[in-house]
Amino acid sequence: MSVVLGLNTLHAGASAAVVIDGKPQVAIAEERLNRVKYYANFPRLAVRECLRIAGLDFRDLDVVAVGRDSSANRAKKIEYVLTHPSQLLNLMQLRTSRTALEDLKAEMARECEVDPAELRFKQHNVEHHLAHIASAYYISDWDHAAGFSADGSGDFVTCMFAECRGPEIEVKHRVYVPHSLGSLYTMVCQFIGYTKYGDEGKVMGLAPYGEPTYADVFGDMLTCTDDGLRLNPSYFLPFGSGQGLMINERGEMEIQRHYTDRMIQLFGRPREPYTELGRREFDLAFGVQQVFETGFMHLLRLLHARVPSERIAMAGGCVLNSVANGKVFDGTPFRETCIQPAAGDEGLALGAALYVSQAILKGGPRCPLDHAYLGPEYDEPTIQRELDARNVTYVRLERDALLQETADEIVKGNVVGWFQGRMEWGPRALGNRSIVVHPGLPNMKDVLNARIKRREWFRPFAPTVLAERQADVFEHSHPSPFMLHVYKIRPEWRERLVAVNHVDDTGRLQTVTRDQNPLYYDLIKAFEQRTGLPVVLNTSFNENEPIVCSPADAIECFVRTKMDVLAIGPFLCRKGDAAS
Ligand SMILES: [Fe+2]
């Protein structure tokens, strides 16, 4: 038996994962446990929780795989620093975190309060983008595919091409710092006032409100080349190997200034966060999304020329751009995608563990994964105890009654918290830590925002569709089990699905089969029987915080907000009934 613990540590999206004999057992991002979004120090709670769920002790660990290899691409780093002497400081920061990684046993012993003598594991560092690609390829059931990763940067690389065959992943090509599609997007986000780490998804939602007013400027920012792409340095500060990111004392990510004065000369002062949006911001969002898609499709076509497969396994922060993902079938020769649900850096823990397990240890058969339910779950007594502790009134229902009554509540236009089974891995709620509402009522978006989510008005809410009805409702039939593709909604459904139909008539859909999630599937089926709609609106169960993890998190959110109903395990709680 081979037991591998994967880690993404001292890096945004700190996380842990356990893979036994090639099979993913459990994977959790630290933010869900310590409630600090994109937490970037050591994932101490996630490590402990992963071991607990997998039934392991620290001394059971054979290998700890880290999704980062500071020794990778060293020659390129040195070359860069020699030509950019101002980046020496940046390299010194990297060295500090490298020292912690070099003494991982001591770090883990200290963080997890465990006797160092119990730690007998071997450490294996996996280059950042190789871990991204591994995270996607090894969860597919393919024996050959192109591998793709793109993000801001990791281990001094911004994009990697690979050929995946059997248990091997062969790196074919790298694009290096500073030429980065991810950094390009971040720069424009920051300029238009979305300055937090991970805000790119908001700008993606804003883009369809804009027009190609600034196409010339964006065309000047990015050049597609035979070996990848080039950013025009007159728009981007030379932020070097840290890519302009810092970890503050709370373990949160902070973004340093990315844009140059040229942006100010062209567009005026950057927008202050939380101030009103104007035409300029809409058009900048449109421009950056369009140039991003141009670069993304160019990279994919270059990859296809080197690895002529119809299948592509993808990960990396850029692959969270679900609008671009939805256009891959039209813009490239690829016909099938396998995208890691945790496409961002939290996915590195699983990717590194899978790489070591499959490619290094040859530790077992491939174990395809078509769901993302790799987190903790809670038994009925635990949930009941938490409900009692918060004085929430509930009824306990059998499975069918729970489904029927919950579907009735959704039909009535109520806001339903749906907390069931194992927590999802990755940034999307996929029917286990979700808020579920009627997708066809025109006011649902405003109701959700006013009562709970308080999101920007322009951000769309996403649909979950029964997999076998996808092609009726959407213009593409390739499945999207992890809510990472945006497709056009067919004209005849747009009015009927008004709350999930974005301004450009698209939806970032989740497809669900009964095998993937029987309870959630049956809930949507019960809703369909009442309304004729094979779709619900699914948004993450949270209020401006990491998605809820435990029953206590969920109950607290239910009590604090104007959520109408909470279905948690077999218990149904209605706000009107609650003592709270
Ligand atoms: Fe990354």
Side-chain angles (χ1 to χ4, degrees), residues 468-489:
E468 69 274 16
R469 300 294 306 280
Q470 175 186 357
D472 300 339
V473 179
F474 293 90
E475 292 186 356
H476 269 289
S477 56
H478 188 286
S480 180
F482 305 131
M483 211 184 255
L484 284 167
H485 301 80
V486 168
Y487 298 145
K488 282 263 187 208
I489 297 176

Side-chain angles (χ1 to χ4, degrees), residues 417-438:
W418 181 251
F419 182 105
Q420 304 291 341
R422 296 187 71 175
M423 184 176 71
E424 299 87 344
W425 163 242
R428 305 272 95 89
L430 299 169
N432 281 5
R433 300 289 185 277
S434 290
I435 294 172
V436 179
V437 303
H438 197 311

Side-chain angles (χ1 to χ4, degrees), residues 308-353:
S309 168
E310 291 198 343
R311 292 170 160 170
I312 181 167
M314 305 200 286
C318 291
V319 177
L320 289 170
N321 194 306
S322 44
V323 172
N325 293 342
K327 295 179 180 174
V328 165
F329 313 107
D330 299 328
T332 80
F334 292 110
R335 290 294 162 265
E336 286 183 80
T337 58
C338 179
I339 307 179
Q340 160 64 215
D345 282 349
E346 76 271 37
L348 294 169
L350 184 59

Side-chain angles (χ1 to χ4, degrees), residues 11-12 67 128-129 132 149-155 157-158 197 315-318 343-346 348:
H11 195 90
H128 184 104
H129 286 271
H132 272 316
S149 171
D151 61 12
S153 80
D155 286 332
V157 170
T158 65
Y197 185 85
C318 291
D345 282 349
E346 76 271 37
L348 294 169

Side-chain angles (χ1 to χ4, degrees), residues 57-129:
D57 203 81
F58 280 95
R59 58 173 69 91
D60 297 324
L61 298 175
D62 297 313
V63 179
V64 173
V66 180
R68 176 173 179 176
D69 183 359
S70 306
S71 65
N73 310 305
R74 192 173 278 160
K76 278 283 173 189
K77 285 180 199 166
I78 291 168
E79 180 190 318
Y80 185 81
V81 169
L82 289 176
T83 51
H84 299 79
S86 65
Q87 296 310 308
L88 270 174
L89 180 67
N90 215 305
L91 205 67
M92 284 164 67
Q93 283 161 2
L94 272 187
R95 196 165 292 145
T96 308
S97 62
R98 195 170 84 201
T99 305
L101 284 178
E102 279 170 357
D103 201 358
L104 186 62
K105 278 187 181 153
E107 177 88 352
M108 189 180 288
R110 188 168 55 246
E111 289 283 347
C112 297
E113 296 172 0
V114 57
D115 181 352
E118 286 190 29
L119 302 176
R120 57 169 193 87
F121 63 77
K122 287 197 172 68
Q123 180 180 347
H124 194 105
N125 297 336
V126 181
E127 186 182 344
H128 184 104
H129 286 271

